Amino acid sequence: MHGIVLLDKPAGWSSNQALQKVRWLFQAQKAGHTGNLDPFATGMLPICLGEASKTAGFMLGRAKTYVARARLGTATATGDTEGEVVREMPVPELEPDRIRDVLASFRGEIEQVPPMYSALKHEGQPLYRLARAGLEVERKARRVTVHALEMRAWEPPLLEFRVYCSKGTYVRTLAEDIAAALGCCAHLEALRRLSVDPFREGDMVSLEELEERQSQGQIDSCLLPVDAGLADWPRVELDGESARRFSHGNPVADAAGPDGPVRVYDMAGRLLGWGEIQTGQGLRARRIMRL
């Protein structure tokens, strides 16, 4: 079973738990996902099954869209509902225009200090393990990009916003920084991922839907093609001998196409794998598909 499932991850599940459940439902030998969602969060978790797992690493850098609901006036150790309350502040009277102005200041390239409760590593240890042990270490600010950020609702003390952002953006931290700019503190009460480029919300399926399709023998109808996540990469087609060389991991000197990563197919339209074209070096294989 090879392909991509756009799982609508339920709250309370870790990304790995959801991955293993989907892998079991499809009886897939290999599986991987394209970026963690915190257990309290819901929404899109692309899961790559079988040979599609070879594409997961290429999709980790894709931009994502979230809807978040922050509760102002209360900060937690984790920045979300799973941590204990560490600070409380009165919520100032805020006009919607003031909030919109602050949100506008966070659009574009910004710097974020990653939270202690994250999977980033310090001297080989995930930060969240150090945080659970009561330790805090210095973290360097990282540059991320907020492509779009807008207020969806303001019903004090709850602020709901939608953000379209680059890889590495912590929405928990964004909520805390927005609150600080408003003269307050906050934590995320809810977080939902709506999209991971190039996929969109309407293509998600729930665990319940997958289980129902499995019981009907139709679970493969929930699979997207192996190359669906890299559809924006240029397509290169190879004839017989060139296709054979590529499939054995050998370079193809006369392959025609733009410089950069490409999807590689034979003349019958069968996906051979992912490659990269460099001027003067031809096409080199990066991942070979065994479909």
Side-chain angles (χ1 to χ4, degrees):
M1 194 72 75
H2 310 284
I4 298 172
V5 180
L6 302 182
L7 179 68
D8 187 350
K9 187 189 81 67
W13 287 62
S14 71
S15 293
N16 186 59
Q17 286 174 322
L19 168 70
Q20 297 305 329
K21 177 68 172 181
V22 171
R23 179 182 177 183
W24 178 83
L25 286 170
F26 280 90
Q27 294 295 292
Q29 292 185 352
K30 296 184 294 183
H33 63 69
T34 66
N36 276 308
L37 264 180
D38 292 331
F40 89 102
T42 67
M44 186 176 290
L45 182 67
I47 294 179
C48 303
L49 301 172
E51 287 293 275
S53 63
K54 294 177 180 178
T55 72
F58 297 120
M59 292 191 284
L60 289 174
R62 297 306 180 99
K64 303 169 179 67
T65 303
Y66 298 88
V67 169
R69 185 169 69 245
R71 178 173 290 275
L72 273 62
T74 307
T76 68
T78 58
D80 56 35
T81 57
E82 298 185 328
E84 63 181 8
V85 174
V86 295
R87 184 161 37 126
E88 293 183 291
M89 297 176 63
V91 179
E93 292 188 11
L94 297 168
E95 294 297 325
D97 286 345
R98 165 64 176 154
I99 298 173
R100 293 189 184 96
D101 288 344
V102 166
L103 293 181
S105 71
F106 283 90
R107 297 182 193 128
E109 286 195 351
I110 63 172
E111 290 198 339
Q112 274 193 341
V113 176
M116 278 299 300
Y117 281 87
S118 67
L120 295 178
K121 291 187 176 181
H122 174 77
E123 297 180 351
Q125 287 290 321
L127 289 179
Y128 65 80
R129 289 185 183 170
L130 299 177
R132 288 170 182 168
L135 302 176
E136 183 164 351
V137 298
E138 183 178 355
R139 288 96 65 203
K140 291 184 178 180
R142 304 195 308 175
R143 188 165 291 274
V144 298
T145 302
V146 176
H147 302 289
L149 178 61
E150 61 182 19
M151 182 176 72
R152 300 241 309 189
W154 170 235
E155 299 178 3
L158 299 179
L159 171 63
E160 185 173 290
F161 60 89
R162 180 186 175 110
V163 58
Y164 176 49
C165 54
S166 69
K167 169 193 174 182
T169 305
Y170 287 93
V171 183
R172 288 174 290 148
T173 301
L174 181 62
E176 292 172 335
D177 292 344
I178 291 170
L182 292 169
C184 197
C185 62
H187 72 277
L188 281 190
E189 189 174 84
L191 179 65
R192 180 166 177 78
R193 187 153 72 190
L194 299 181
S195 72
V196 176
D197 284 351
F199 306 117
R200 290 296 172 258
E201 182 179 12
D203 295 324
M204 283 191 282
V205 292
S206 67
L207 285 175
E208 291 77 15
E209 289 176 274
L210 289 177
E211 290 172 334
E212 182 177 355
R213 295 286 182 89
Q214 185 203 45
S215 69
Q216 298 171 348
Q218 300 174 349
I219 195 167
D220 57 341
S221 66
C222 299
L223 279 175
L224 297 178
V226 168
D227 58 350
L230 303 177
D232 56 336
W233 286 19
R235 177 180 177 127
V236 171
E237 293 186 349
L238 302 178
D239 60 17
E241 178 58 22
S242 295
R244 187 192 67 78
R245 285 184 56 79
F246 181 88
S247 294
H248 285 85
N250 297 312
V252 179
D254 58 349
D259 279 9
V262 293
R263 297 173 292 151
V264 183
Y265 302 80
D266 64 15
M267 300 305 290
R270 182 172 65 95
L271 178 65
L272 302 178
W274 321 118
E276 184 168 4
I277 294 179
Q278 293 183 351
T279 301
Q281 297 184 27
L283 170 65
R284 295 185 179 273
R286 298 180 65 182
R287 290 288 188 278
I288 303 299
M289 294 289 118
R290 303 299 181 192
L291 298 172

